[in-house]
Amino acid sequence: MAVGGFRDEKAFGEHLQTVLSPAKPVDDPTLLHGRDEALKKVSRALYADGRHVFIYGDRGVGKSSVAKTAASLYRDGRKDYLWVSCERNSTLFSVMHSLARSVIELHLGEERVRKHEFSIAFGPLRYQIESTTSTPAEPLREPTNLDECMQLAADIANICSPKAIVVVDEFDAIEHVEDRQRFADLLKRMGDRGVPLKFIISGIATSMHDLLEGHLSSIRQLETVDLNPLDWSARFEIIQAAGLEFDLQVAEAVSIRIAAISNGFPHYVHLLTEQLLWQAFDDPADCQVAEWGHFRNSLDAAVGAIAPHLRRPYDMATQRVSDDYRDIVWAAADAFDLQRHSSKIFDSYVWICQQSGKLPLERSKFSQRLNDLKKPHFGKLLKNLQGKSGWYEFSENMLRGFVRLVSEHAGIQLRDRDYDKEPKRLTARAPVVRSLQAYRRDYTPPVRFRGEIEGDDQS
Ligand SMILES: Nc1ncnc2c1ncn2[C@@H]1O[C@H](COP(=O)(O)OP(=O)(O)O)[C@@H](O)[C@H]1O
Ligand SMILES: [Mg+2]
């Protein structure tokens, strides 16, 4: 039982989490794959005086990772990078307050402070560390207007360095739109007055307009970066780089399935590869290639590791007497496209029924059930696209990955975009498993539907 010379479970587990972290954003450029263009865009925007960056996309697509990595590349020193995660009740004032407090905490630990050689003064907010004592003269109060926020931003840049950078993460969590809009006001004013502190804001959205509802959403001080799911080569890179850390090759068929299940959401690539490597570690023999058997065994643990908030809506939609709803949910998660027309979902549904040797429902019954999946007691799993009738998407695209994982576990391999068109950098070779052929197979009519009389279609 060993992988890459690791025999001890603790040592293996500790090393594993340095390369794979399904629940923690990456902040190291060597671990960030497929985001060169995004990083370039961010770093070029940050060179310009008065410019800030707004990164948006789906949950789990890698926004925090790009924000953190870009910030760590931009900053000068360890203490020039501040990070704050927003919550429902966050406001510009509470965020600025929390940033200033972290500056104080960072510097309080400093030897210079301990030796009483250092002072921090946040001008109008009256926080002062006297040079003779490290006890604050007065606690720092929260700013109450934009001018105070501006002053705080200028003080932070002054205390840290002119290359200080702030990541404001989970910006979408802020409940009130006016609170979000104040951030845009601050960035605009900082640009006008030449305050050097940089901001990278990241949040779930399909555009900046979504989060600012029009207010200043096209200000020139903000460069926007829209993150899409990772392409195939980046997905493969994550898998292979993790394997290489343990001198382990990952069989091509396995890499393809992990990459396909993920639909380009790196969380799933990390999760599945992590479980795969544990299977390789548990192999009674010294393992050099992670094979199909390891992958199949890892699916159980991967399904079990999914967060309850993703599992719950799926269970609500599918735990029913018949499997019809489950098959329709799987059909909705088939293919690469995150937004699909009901006719395409129907094609996928028929294909899934063919795979499992069932007669599909007729189109009208299928449509009723597809529509049910939008309802609260079906976990609101799906929603319609605004202004596009017949188009559906998952209420949360991370859910899609879970659905794809569960269907894989049950033996139905949902499809992605054609990977042959992507540059391949695979080194490991393994026989292509039979089920990969299904991956490329198209649904071809005629198909018999449930309720039809035997022989009808021949008349
Ligand atoms: N480009 C990438 N390369 C490798 N791993 C990534 C990449 N982007 C994200 N990840 C991993 O995917 C998971 C989700 O990323 P995260 O940045 O937290 O997403 P988001 O902020 O969009 O919800 C994390 O485990 C992170 O380590
Ligand atoms: Mg995030």
Side-chain angles (χ1 to χ4, degrees), residues 204-267:
I204 300 170
T206 50
S207 74
M208 201 157 81
H209 188 274
D210 269 4
L211 292 178
L212 298 180
E213 293 187 11
H215 178 79
L216 291 182
S217 59
S218 55
I219 57 170
R220 67 196 147 76
Q221 283 85 355
L222 261 182
E223 179 78 40
T224 53
V225 178
D226 175 11
L227 285 190
N228 290 313
L230 291 179
D231 64 19
W232 281 85
S233 47
R235 304 176 208 175
F236 289 145
E237 275 171 21
I238 299 174
I239 302 164
Q240 289 197 333
L244 279 176
E245 280 293 319
F246 299 93
D247 296 330
L248 187 80
Q249 291 196 328
V250 179
E252 182 175 19
V254 173
S255 291
I256 290 169
R257 280 323 297 162
I258 292 178
I261 293 170
S262 79
N263 249 185
F265 281 72
H267 166 78

Side-chain angles (χ1 to χ4, degrees), residues 25 63-64 169-170 202:
K63 302 175 299 298
S64 304
D169 210 357
E170 320 259 343
S202 88

Side-chain angles (χ1 to χ4, degrees), residues 22 44 80-81 125 139 141 267 287 294 312 329 338 361 398:
R44 290 191 176 174
D80 303 345
Y81 159 31
L125 303 177
R141 70 167 169 79
H267 166 78
C287 189
H294 300 115
R312 200 163 164 272
V329 170
L338 303 179
L361 292 167
M398 278 282 275

Side-chain angles (χ1 to χ4, degrees), residues 21-22 24 26 31-33 35 60-65 238 266 270:
S21 56
K24 204 176 106 219
V26 165
L31 296 175
L32 190 82
H33 299 280
R35 295 301 190 199
V61 82
K63 302 175 299 298
S64 304
S65 299
I238 299 174
H270 280 241

Side-chain angles (χ1 to χ4, degrees), residues 31 42 71-72 90 121 133 171 184 209 216 233 242 279 289 304 428 444 448:
L31 296 175
V42 177
S72 69
S90 300
T133 164
F171 185 64
H209 188 274
L216 291 182
S233 47
Q279 287 299 323
V289 183
T444 331
R448 192 187 307 284

